[in-house]
Amino acid sequence: MSAPLVVFDLDGTLIDTAHDLVASLNHTIGLEGLEPVGYGDLTYLVGHGGQVMIKRAFALRGREISDEELQRMLAVFVEHYADAMPGVSTPYPGLTDAMDRLAGTGYRLAVCTNKMEGLARRLVDGLGLTARFSAITGGDTFAVRKPDAEHLLGTVRLAGADLKRTVMIGDSLNDMLVARNAGVPSIGVPFGYSDVPVAELEPNHVIAHFDELTPDLVERLIAR
């Protein structure tokens, strides 16, 4: 029997990136004279990658943005964000202990995020976590991204794992939908950036803290 695979979303699930995302976004839109966004706006802004984040920031300020402007501003955002990595972003409490528990019993781990793969890898590497993952995929790794099932299916393939022994962990609707679309059980975390309580997104299970993420829980979900 193949080792189980636990796939994590990144922003708002593995890593609290709020401060650095807001700082880089405000730097970018500030160059266009827009008022800064706040942390309370993150649930609307985050989860679909940098382009959508910038477009939504403009929408919040009642401004339209052309495709040409968007690409130019995305380059500014990526440069500012990458240069500061890992900034003050940190793993959520209990994460490394949870990964130790899973790895200690032979589990594989992976990341499936809509953040650009290069940025995701730079962040994970900057926090010293890269070696823990069998695969790290981003919103530009494949032709599609979450919630399209192929993003998760491709991540599972790259990790050399079995879809039937995979669990997806995330904080947002995209994470619950990609799990549902791929036919794998999901675990929701309530401390991320969802604009509604994560339980309302109907994950198979909710954990309030990574202390609750155990091999026994994953096995129970896989066996359902």
Side-chain angles (χ1 to χ4, degrees), residues 60-79:
L60 279 175
R61 298 297 176 254
R63 287 264 303 271
E64 294 185 357
I65 182 172
S66 69
D67 289 342
E68 182 179 342
E69 291 172 320
L70 178 59
Q71 293 307 312
R72 176 173 55 79
M73 296 185 69
L74 179 63
V76 172
F77 172 83
V78 168
E79 181 179 12

Side-chain angles (χ1 to χ4, degrees), residues 8-33:
F8 295 87
D9 173 50
L10 188 58
D11 297 277
T13 300
L14 273 179
I15 312 297
D16 184 0
T17 54
H19 180 90
D20 295 310
L21 288 172
V22 168
S24 291
L25 181 60
N26 282 336
H27 167 78
T28 303
I29 66 175
L31 295 176
E32 302 298 315

Side-chain angles (χ1 to χ4, degrees), residues 76-158:
V76 172
F77 172 83
V78 168
E79 181 179 12
H80 186 274
Y81 186 53
D83 284 349
M85 279 188 178
V88 297
S89 296
T90 56
Y92 281 101
L95 172 67
T96 55
D97 287 343
M99 291 194 293
D100 287 343
R101 282 194 299 275
L102 296 171
T105 51
Y107 282 48
R108 295 183 184 182
L109 309 175
V111 173
C112 179
T113 174
N114 277 346
K115 185 193 287 298
M116 292 179 180
E117 181 182 337
L119 291 177
R121 288 184 176 277
R122 187 162 182 166
L123 176 59
V124 171
D125 195 55
L127 294 170
L129 301 175
T130 300
R132 292 176 175 271
F133 298 108
S134 298
I136 298 173
T137 67
D140 56 348
T141 304
F142 307 108
V144 296
R145 60 173 59 192
K146 295 183 296 185
D148 192 297
E150 185 55 37
H151 191 173
L152 180 53
L153 296 175
T155 304
V156 174
R157 287 195 297 270
L158 288 176

